[in-house]
Amino acid sequence: MKKPAITKKIDFEKLSPDDLPQLKEISRSTFFDAFNTQNNPEDLHSYINEAFSEITLKNELLESNSEFYFARIDNRIVGYFKINFEKAQTDLQDPDGMELERIYVLKEHQNQKIGQTMLDEVIEMAIPVSYTHLRAHETVLDLVCRLL
């Protein structure tokens, strides 16, 4: 049974290095939940330990051309996203562009239109930018999101 669409306001909070412990926790759990059924467990854990290590995430938080945001409902974190500008972009590195590199919603809060609300917020952020490059992972079972 699908959960109803959200009726509560979602607040977006830009992260600072002080948010590293919470970012590490949500990054690891949401990535695992999204990809554990399609990957070898050993490979998945190895990737998570490298991509979402404290050092890696701290460096990403300190990157001046990257921004992380928590999505909160009633002050509880329900998801997060990461956007990149200029040379922090993973693909095009356009000085006038913006890239959405990550967007995740906690498993227990999915199917409530939270991801759509987060994507709408990113699109609003992209309006002053000449274009947005949205990169997302696709799986055979479901499409996380895709706009190119």
Side-chain angles (χ1 to χ4, degrees):
M1 174 190 262
K2 285 192 173 188
K3 296 178 183 178
I6 57 166
T7 56
K8 296 185 177 185
K9 183 180 181 308
I10 298 178
D11 295 307
F12 297 98
E13 170 195 350
K14 186 175 177 182
L15 276 62
S16 74
D18 293 338
D19 297 305
L20 179 60
Q22 291 172 303
L23 178 61
K24 181 180 174 186
E25 182 180 330
I26 194 172
S27 296
R28 288 169 169 259
S29 68
T30 55
F31 192 88
F32 179 83
D33 289 343
F35 298 105
N36 76 56
T37 60
Q38 295 95 26
N39 289 281
N40 170 306
E42 187 176 304
D43 293 341
L44 181 65
H45 287 290
S46 177
Y47 177 81
I48 288 172
N49 286 335
E50 182 177 329
F52 304 114
S53 71
E54 240 175 73
I55 291 173
T56 300
L57 291 172
K58 182 179 180 181
N59 288 337
E60 290 179 6
L61 279 167
L62 294 173
E63 167 57 56
S64 62
N65 290 307
S66 293
E67 297 175 359
F68 284 88
Y69 290 83
F70 283 146
R72 292 181 181 267
I73 296 177
D74 293 333
N75 206 32
R76 289 185 15 238
I77 298 170
V78 296
Y80 84 101
F81 62 87
K82 177 187 179 192
I83 55 177
N84 297 318
F85 303 92
E86 298 180 13
K87 294 188 184 220
Q89 295 174 70
T90 58
D91 290 328
L92 301 177
Q93 298 183 344
D94 187 295
D96 296 321
M98 183 178 106
E99 171 190 62
L100 174 60
E101 183 181 351
R102 295 183 203 141
I103 182 168
Y104 289 96
V105 176
L106 288 168
K107 190 175 185 176
E108 60 270 22
H109 295 284
Q110 292 178 1
N111 299 313
Q112 298 177 55
K113 307 246 183 232
I114 294 169
Q116 180 63 56
T117 304
M118 292 168 61
L119 187 55
D120 291 345
E121 178 73 10
V122 171
I123 291 168
E124 285 296 314
M125 294 173 157
I127 288 173
V129 182
S130 63
Y131 70 91
T132 299
H133 172 75
L134 176 56
R135 187 185 108 178
H137 295 279
E138 291 182 46
T139 65
V140 175
L141 300 176
D142 59 2
L143 176 63
V144 178
C145 71
R146 183 178 179 204
L147 288 174
L148 295 177

